[in-house]
Amino acid sequence: NAPVTVFEHRGRQYVAAYSAGNLFAGSPRGDSVWLFGLDGGLEPVEPASSLMTMPAELAEDADAVGGRTVYDAACTFCHGERGQGGHGGGPAFRDALTLGAVVQVVSEGRNDMPAFGGALTPDQIRDVSAYVLELQ
C-alpha cells in the first residue's frame, strides 16, 4: 500500500518499492524493499487464466454469513457497507455477477483492486463471494 519511487543513479533509472504485510487480511508478512532497474526488456507473457475455479458443489457450501465477516474486514472501505461504492474508490456492485466471476476477481484482483488469493483461504473467498452476490 505504499507508492513507488523512481530515481536515477550513475545514469541508470531505478524503481524502488516498499512491501509489507497485508493490513486488510490481517496476515503479517515480512517487510521488504524491491529495487528494479529500467534498462532491460521483457518478453511478452501469456494471457492470464483463472487461478481459482469454483466447482458447483463447493458453491452450495458457501456461507454468506461468514462471508460478511470477511467483507466487513477487507471490502467495506472500498466497496461500501452494502456494495454501493465506498471511500476507497471501489465500484458499486452490479447485477448479473456470477459466483465464478466474483471468485475470480477476489482471487486475482482487477484494475485497482488487489488480489486476495494469497491472503484469504479458498473457503473465505467462496464465502465473501457469496455475500457479494447477496448484496447485488
Side-chain angles (χ1 to χ4, degrees):
N1 294 330
V4 299
T5 185
V6 180
F7 64 95
E8 183 179 334
H9 178 69
R10 295 185 181 172
R12 186 172 176 199
Q13 290 183 311
Y14 293 91
V15 175
Y18 173 70
S19 175
N22 189 321
L23 169 70
F24 299 114
S27 58
R29 310 250 189 223
D31 296 344
S32 59
V33 175
W34 293 77
L35 181 64
F36 302 95
L38 298 181
D39 58 348
L42 294 174
E43 297 296 323
V45 296
E46 295 294 323
S49 62
S50 178
L51 298 176
M52 181 174 179
T53 58
M54 183 63 59
E57 61 270 11
L58 289 181
E60 295 171 6
D61 295 333
D63 175 18
V65 174
R68 180 176 182 167
T69 302
V70 176
Y71 183 90
D72 289 344
C75 310
T76 300
F77 179 78
C78 291
H79 293 287
E81 284 187 39
R82 302 290 305 155
Q84 76 279 11
H87 302 292
F93 300 136
R94 65 187 195 314
D95 292 339
L97 291 172
T98 65
L99 183 64
V102 177
V103 164
Q104 184 171 358
V105 171
V106 172
S107 300
E108 300 173 6
R110 179 178 294 161
N111 299 327
D112 291 334
M113 180 172 159
F116 285 92
L120 299 175
T121 68
D123 287 343
Q124 288 173 315
I125 291 171
R126 176 201 61 211
D127 295 347
V128 76
S129 298
Y131 181 69
V132 165
L133 291 181
E134 285 189 2
L135 291 178
Q136 69 175 347

